[in-house]
Amino acid sequence: MSVHFPVLIVVVPLLLSFLVFAFGLFQRRVCFPLVVATLASCLVFSAGSFRTVLTTGRPVHYHLGGWAPPWGIEYVVDYLNGLVLTAIAVVSLLAAIYARALVKREIPAAKHAPFYALFLLQVTGLFGMTVTGDMFNLYVLLEIASFSAYAMIGMGEGAAPFAAFRYMIFGTLGACAYLLGVGYLYISTGSLNMADLRQILVPLYSSRVLLVGLAFLLLGIAIKMAFFPVHIWLPDSYTLAPSCVSVLLAPLFTKVGAYVMIRVLFSVFDPARSITLLPVTALIGWVAAAGILFSSIMALAQTDLKRMLCYLIVTEIGYIGIGIGAGNRPGLTGAIFHVVNDMFMMALLFMVVGAIQAHVRTRNISGLTGLHRGMPVTAAALVVGGLSVIGVPPLCGFFSKWYLILGTIEAGQWLCAGALLLGSLLNAILFFRIFEKCYFEAPHDPAHREREAGAKADRMAMGELIPMVFMAVVVLLLGLFSGYIVQHAITHAIPPGV
Amino acid sequence: MMEFIVGTFNYWIYVALILIGFYGMMAKNNLMKKLIGMNIFQWSIILFYISIGSKQGGTVPVVDPSLHPAIRAVDYINPLPHVLMLTAIVVGVATTGIALALLILIYRTYGTLEEDEILEVLKK
């Protein structure tokens, strides 16, 4: 049974997304338990295959339909994507549990079944992008994830369909660029399997076709992961998406894109070539540094809490880009660890925003005065998430940033190190401004008191509180056990040759 | 030079189509025209893939050992890009479907598909 875990991670949510839709037509109440059961089994599958990797020390290979690679499609779980898969499984399960109350509030009852079907389809795409060892299969699963994202964002209020359409134009541009890149690699190698490509590519590095292919691949991935300066689709679409959608999309999609970038640059292409022969990684590092400063300043300028977090996602992607840019062991350790950490931090923060929007009925930062009186747990979770994004020990954000800084210093990229520190400083200003509003803002005179966030908040459901608290605990635990995780998983996850 | 252009005309058409599609996606004001541009963009890539699979004088890749005891790869066109493009066509159709659904929603809300008019409404 455990032999089939790598493929079950993708097949089970894919089939269940259709079943949820079919069952939901007759009995709406059955959707949510089915989704939770599916995601829980996905957690078992991904954690199970990751455990096999950890105990045997070798990657798990699965050949679809019994066709051996390079002819057949291969699913591979190794240290790198085992970690990412498990993180996706945990975040999506908690997001699904959390989303239940919000779905009831935000989505019309008739649309519950399609919503949950799309939710599972989104998770299918994300799992598939991570687990696949085939370049074209990755494109298909990338598009599955993107479609469900467009559709779910389009369910939002107001201008959401318009934002979703704009996202779609950009997203299709990215997917097509990726497809073209795969095409150019296929012309010069005749293979689509990642491990096979790496072997065949070695004597071909002087070929110009390969350079064009790499450029298209990176452009496509950069658009999908919202890398500065092609992030412009992100703030609008994620802000206007319903909270129950953004809590799944915002933490996961961009980070899986970052994982794909690491995979392509360091597993498909030879790391030594990506770093020295073509200074691709260095270029990514510089652009990421510029992106961090730009998006941090943009985040400071926002008055809408959710929109501010959307710019923070771009900042965090910039941090991962700096780790890729450093191109050495500590830098990549930081980048991989930050991919995982950021999933949890962003999931926590988007849960907080969802709760605030649902119960205080505002997303404006100035409307958060006295939040800790009405919603003490949410306010505390906001503090945990905020401190982790800033990088305060012992929360997980500190440790990945620590490795990132070590990496930039070792690579001698002082400008990147400076951008990282300055970005963290800007994040600190950002969050302490919000903390001040929540905790220390002088109470208004009694006449205005009932307009405060603390006075207005109604009771939160346990289904919202428990995932949020759990997520905050995970953010803390990831920090406390960072040494263990880095030593046992991430050091082995760094592709050989770095 | 002329030979180079004529000999690789399918690639030139692919380049022309991808640029037309890109122009449509980026420069057109009407959202439906943007969608049409997006479709042209996607289909040009399909033409590109089909081109890299075909061979001059190649035939359908159905191998019959009784007729051709020795299989020479040069005689058959490469079927893999065709298979990949079947998937890409499905992806393209799904994109178009979702885009049309979104356009219907946008039209119902704003009564127009002109981007500048929608942005003007959004600014208010």
Side-chain angles (χ1 to χ4, degrees), chain A residues 397-421:
Chain A
F398 168 76
F399 294 96
S400 43
K401 277 189 183 171
W402 174 253
Y403 282 107
L404 288 173
I405 287 196
L406 283 184
T408 50
I409 290 173
E410 203 179 295
Q413 295 168 336
W414 299 103
L415 230 69
C416 288
L420 212 162
L421 290 173

Side-chain angles (χ1 to χ4, degrees), chain B residues 38-91:
Chain B
M38 192 170 93
N39 275 335
I40 297 174
F41 193 83
Q42 288 175 310
W43 300 154
S44 72
I45 293 172
I46 292 175
L47 177 64
F48 166 72
Y49 264 80
I50 298 299
S51 300
I52 66 179
S54 72
K55 286 171 191 160
Q56 218 152 30
T59 181
V60 185
V62 180
V63 177
D64 187 351
S66 66
L67 288 178
H68 309 275
I71 297 164
R72 293 193 309 155
V74 193
D75 292 339
Y76 299 99
I77 58 169
N78 185 356
L80 186 70
H82 294 72
V83 178
L84 299 183
M85 283 312 105
L86 275 182
T87 319
I89 289 169
V90 175
V91 167

Side-chain angles (χ1 to χ4, degrees), chain B residues 76-112:
Chain B
Y76 299 99
I77 58 169
N78 185 356
L80 186 70
H82 294 72
V83 178
L84 299 183
M85 283 312 105
L86 275 182
T87 319
I89 289 169
V90 175
V91 167
V93 171
T95 322
T96 314
I98 298 174
L100 289 173
L102 288 173
L103 286 184
I104 290 172
L105 277 179
I106 293 170
Y107 192 79
R108 272 190 201 146
T109 321
Y110 301 102
T112 174

Side-chain angles (χ1 to χ4, degrees), chain A residues 4 27 44 59 63 129 150 183 196 233 292 321 381 387 397 407 409 433 439 444 459 485:
Chain A
H4 299 290
Q27 184 55 269
V44 172
H63 303 158
M129 281 162 78
Y150 307 144
D196 194 39
W233 55 266
I292 288 176
L387 290 181
I409 290 173
R433 203 182 48 158
Y439 282 93
H444 293 293
R459 276 177 62 85
I485 297 169

